[in-house]
Amino acid sequence: MTQFPVKDGELLIGGISLSQLAARVGRTPFYAYDRQLLNQRIDALRAALPPQVKLHYAMKANPMPALVCHMASRVDGIDVASAGELKVALDAGANPREISFAGPGKTDAELRQAVAAGILINVESFREVPVLATVSQALGLPARVAVRVNPDFELKSSGMKMGGGPKQFGVDAEHVPELLGQIGAAGLAFEGFHLFAGSQNLKAESIVEAQQKSFALALKLAEFAPAPVRFLNLGGGFGIPYFPGEQCLDLGPIGSNLADIVGQAATKLPEAEIVIELGRYFVGEAGVYVCRILDRKVSREHTYLVADGGLHHHLSASGNFGQVIRKNYPVAIGNRMDATETESASLVGPLCTPLDLLADRMTLPKAGPGDLAVVFQSGAYGASASPQGFLGHPAVTEVLI
Ligand SMILES: *Cc1c(COP(=O)(O)O)cnc(C)c1O
């Protein structure tokens, strides 16, 4: 993976050789996230997108507190999906006015915390309106709300669809006018709309199409709004390449399209700030998962490298987090980057289940106990998206370098 250089046969993470980093961390397995790569990604987005577009970090992709803190000081807002994430975002110093809260099952207690914090709540159900009205009255603070719309279209070629058709997310577009009426009647502070159609998309033209349709839908719905639209979150869904043959997302057409939307918004929704929210795209390529090989076994001519890490820390790489057909994440032996002798081997974890597979029959440098296996593209949906309690192994360590 080109984002991490190699020196003297060792991968460098944040400028530190992998062996030295492992010694510094003091144990394996661990995740390491590279600050410079996070910064580069933010800079690349700012360069490609119009300056008026606000960048929000959807912290469910990686909620490590130090990383959220790093992001909070560099992006324009943080999107949270629970009161637990809200606490991390507030602790990280994010401005409450620039925090938004989405989620299909917000508890009354979470809604109360959100109103008290002064953040923007993306309303996803008629049920939330009277709860927010009661809480607003009790606290003497009007709830700031946007409506999360389940659009009447889908994000084409998306890895995970989260809008269009029947969905548990948001309110179906056709019922939004009625919801807006209730929000107005309840005296909540209406601020805008949130549309999120899907995740992990590598096709710029699909993202452009979804953003155009989202903008058109928001314009229609704005006619029913009890107050001017000040905040229009057009979602994200920007993907990163994981598997052979996948190409990086081309930001060029997305930037031009957003410039066009910003131009139209200037007259049609003059008070609106255009926001996109990204998780994986900000952090995914900046992180690696590192585990140490414990054993090398040959079973009927097939080589297994048995590592101290596996699916309990990295469910996504094992293929059990939303993959339909299992494919290998990019994997390397990080302390043998110059090796010339290779073999076909499977990298497996210590769990007593055949699902604990990090690389299936991959060509890797010949490796054995003590070597460090590295899974790239691991900065998003890693530690926090894995069943760490499964089989009772120690929890993973995370470092930001
Ligand atoms: C999961 C999620 C995101 C982040 O998605 P990525 O694919 O990681 O960019 C953004 N917004 C909402 C509402 C989400 O649920």
Side-chain angles (χ1 to χ4, degrees), residues 81 90 108-109 139 154 159 178-179 199 233 290 322 358 384 396:
L90 291 170
D108 293 7
L139 297 175
E154 288 193 341
E178 187 191 343
L179 180 68
S199 183
N233 184 336
V290 180
L358 292 175
S384 70
V396 71

Side-chain angles (χ1 to χ4, degrees), residues 58 60-61 102 148 162 194 196 199-200 237 277-280 381:
K60 85 165 189 268
R148 181 169 181 183
M162 289 178 67
H194 174 218
F196 183 77
S199 183
Q200 180 51 20
E277 55 177 8
L278 305 171
R280 187 191 315 268
Y381 304 108

Side-chain angles (χ1 to χ4, degrees), residues 9-193:
E10 291 240 4
L11 203 63
L12 301 184
I13 313 285
I16 305 172
S17 81
L18 187 64
S19 307
Q20 191 186 336
L21 177 62
R24 182 182 122 170
V25 175
R27 50 175 294 219
T28 52
F30 61 90
Y31 279 93
Y33 315 116
D34 184 326
R35 291 172 206 272
Q36 288 318 320
L37 292 175
L38 296 172
N39 294 347
Q40 280 170 24
R41 184 47 60 95
I42 297 167
D43 293 346
L45 278 160
R46 297 244 191 242
L49 307 184
Q52 296 89 341
V53 171
K54 303 289 178 203
L55 298 177
H56 280 205
Y57 173 51
M59 63 171 279
K60 85 165 189 268
N62 189 328
M64 181 208 193
L67 182 143
V68 176
C69 201
H70 183 85
M71 296 300 288
S73 67
R74 285 165 176 82
V75 298
D76 306 306
I78 304 284
D79 291 329
V80 304
S82 68
E85 288 193 353
L86 173 58
K87 179 184 186 304
V88 175
L90 291 170
D91 288 348
N95 178 353
R97 292 209 62 82
E98 311 298 339
I99 299 177
S100 57
F101 179 17
K106 306 178 195 78
T107 65
D108 293 7
E110 285 180 311
L111 290 169
R112 185 181 162 86
Q113 285 173 269
V115 175
I119 65 167
L120 182 70
I121 298 155
N122 292 320
V123 170
E124 308 206 21
S125 157
F126 282 82
R127 181 194 66 86
E128 293 177 11
V129 175
V131 177
L132 288 169
T134 307
V135 166
S136 293
Q137 266 183 354
L139 297 175
L141 285 169
R144 298 177 54 219
V145 300
V147 170
R148 181 169 181 183
V149 181
N150 177 28
D152 41 13
F153 57 84
E154 288 193 341
L155 177 55
K156 284 182 198 149
S157 13
S158 168
M160 224 181 256
K161 291 190 182 15
M162 289 178 67
K167 290 283 176 302
Q168 73 266 50
F169 309 108
V171 170
D172 294 346
E174 53 276 27
H175 298 303
V176 168
E178 187 191 343
L179 180 68
L180 290 166
Q182 293 190 13
I183 286 172
L188 308 183
F190 171 83
E191 296 196 8
F193 295 106

